[in-house]
Amino acid sequence: MSPKKIMCLFDVDGTLTKARQTIDPAFDEFIQTKIKPLCTLGVVGGSDFKKIAEQLNGDDMIFRFDYVFPENGLVQFKFGKEVGRQSIQKFMGEEKLQTIINFSLGYLAKVVLPVKRGTFIEFRSGMLNICPIGRSCSQEERDSFEKYDKEFQVRQTMIDVLKKKFPDIGLSYAIGGQISFDVFPHGWDKTYCLRHLENEGFDEIHFFGDKTDEGGNDHEIFNDPRTIGHKVTSPEDTRKQLVQLFDL
């Protein structure tokens, strides 16, 4: 009997790296030398390619990981080559997009936080990333906003307002990372990348992610019947679970 064709598909923030940090070199080496010979490697993240590449030690990560899916798989790389992309602009049209952007900017203008910085809405191929504190905050400000948000539910409150304001516009919302949340068309969560893996002949796709609870941006793919979900708490935990999975 031939061995199973297995894929290990990883979230980035909180799974392969600490939030918005770069991957630990020893962990990177462990994945490349111990895990890659045993399975196909994939990465799926909500961020754009530039941010994911920064966290995974450079643009050559598209050769170190067999499949790379920035922006939940709206952009696809396979064995080092870009093989496709979709865009929210093309899908929704400029008028609808601007309605949401304008309303969100108006809402954020009224939110009072301990600190506010810049870049409150980031336009990506497959989503809008909305950040109440502003993406140009420092790591220290990022950490303190995460604690503040746990107490006051700034992000979840805004999501509830957007859902109520735009009930029929066909959008989903997911909280990811420390400071922001994503807005995207229904079905454009991380499960979007699976449509590019369905015909690749894998017997098992193991997904590793930390935001697997409802509302988190790993929730849908973690629970998808096409994957075997592994909930992790940190890069160290990911390593531990890989050791167990492959009996290393």
Side-chain angles (χ1 to χ4, degrees), residues 1 8 15 18 21 71 80-81 85 87 91 117 119 140 142 144 158 170 183 191 198 213 216 223 227 231 234 246 248:
M1 199 169 78
C8 284
T15 302
K18 290 179 179 169
Q21 305 294 304
E71 305 188 39
K81 287 191 176 152
R85 64 171 60 223
S87 82
F91 184 79
R117 296 299 175 249
T119 314
E140 194 182 335
R142 176 184 278 271
S144 62
M158 184 170 179
V183 183
T191 60
E198 279 178 324
D213 295 338
N223 289 289
T227 68
K231 180 179 175 64
S234 64
F246 292 105
L248 296 172

Side-chain angles (χ1 to χ4, degrees), residues 39-52:
C39 67
T40 302
L41 294 179
V43 172
V44 57
S47 296
D48 60 21
F49 175 74
K50 183 170 169 285
K51 285 198 179 72
I52 290 175

Side-chain angles (χ1 to χ4, degrees), residues 78-92:
K78 179 180 174 182
F79 304 132
K81 287 191 176 152
E82 185 179 316
V83 292
R85 64 171 60 223
Q86 170 63 288
S87 82
I88 190 172
Q89 193 175 8
K90 200 159 61 177
F91 184 79
M92 287 185 69

Side-chain angles (χ1 to χ4, degrees), residues 6 8 10 27 30 34-35 38 204 206 208 228-248:
I6 292 174
C8 284
F10 300 96
F27 184 36
F30 167 78
K34 302 288 189 201
I35 303 302
L38 304 174
E204 293 176 3
H206 291 262
F208 295 80
I228 297 165
H230 300 262
K231 180 179 175 64
V232 302
T233 55
S234 64
E236 294 76 24
D237 189 35
T238 303
R239 180 177 181 140
K240 195 166 80 181
Q241 293 199 36
L242 286 166
V243 166
Q244 287 169 345
L245 178 64
F246 292 105
D247 202 18
L248 296 172

Side-chain angles (χ1 to χ4, degrees), residues 126-139:
M127 67 183 73
L128 299 174
N129 178 265
I130 297 181
C131 181
I133 184 178
R135 295 198 67 88
S136 57
C137 59
S138 68
Q139 186 61 50

Side-chain angles (χ1 to χ4, degrees), residues 5 36 56 61 67 70 73 107 111 135-136 159 167 175 194 216:
K5 191 178 176 190
K36 194 171 188 180
L56 297 180
M61 52 86 63
Y67 292 80
Y107 177 92
V111 173
R135 295 198 67 88
S136 57
I159 287 170
I175 291 172
L194 297 177

Side-chain angles (χ1 to χ4, degrees), residues 94-229:
E94 188 63 36
E95 192 181 335
K96 269 190 195 172
L97 260 183
Q98 277 202 39
T99 303
I100 296 150
I101 290 169
N102 291 342
F103 178 82
S104 298
L105 287 169
Y107 177 92
L108 288 169
K110 297 184 187 82
V111 173
V112 178
L113 298 171
V115 300
K116 257 182 171 174
R117 296 299 175 249
T119 314
F120 300 101
I121 299 181
E122 190 171 79
F123 183 81
R124 298 175 181 171
S125 298
M127 67 183 73
L128 299 174
N129 178 265
I130 297 181
C131 181
I133 184 178
R135 295 198 67 88
S136 57
C137 59
S138 68
Q139 186 61 50
E140 194 182 335
E141 289 162 343
R142 176 184 278 271
D143 294 341
S144 62
F145 174 81
E146 186 180 27
K147 287 186 193 132
Y148 183 87
D149 187 54
K150 276 193 178 118
E151 187 178 348
F152 295 104
Q153 300 286 302
V154 178
R155 290 182 286 179
Q156 189 56 55
T157 303
M158 184 170 179
I159 287 170
D160 294 341
V161 168
L162 287 166
K163 281 181 177 172
K164 201 170 168 187
K165 176 73 179 171
F166 303 108
D168 306 318
I169 211 161
L171 291 173
S172 295
Y173 306 85
I175 291 172
Q178 294 177 289
I179 57 171
S180 63
F181 64 92
D182 299 328
V183 183
F184 48 86
H186 290 328
W188 285 26
D189 51 63
K190 284 181 183 168
T191 60
Y192 192 93
C193 77
L194 297 177
R195 65 185 72 188
H196 305 294
L197 297 173
E198 279 178 324
N199 300 317
E200 298 291 287
F202 294 109
D203 298 305
E204 293 176 3
I205 298 173
H206 291 262
F207 171 75
F208 295 80
D210 67 318
K211 295 277 192 300
T212 58
D213 295 338
E214 195 163 353
N217 63 0
D218 298 323
H219 177 72
E220 290 82 4
I221 191 168
F222 175 79
N223 289 289
D224 194 284
R226 293 167 290 181
T227 68
I228 297 165

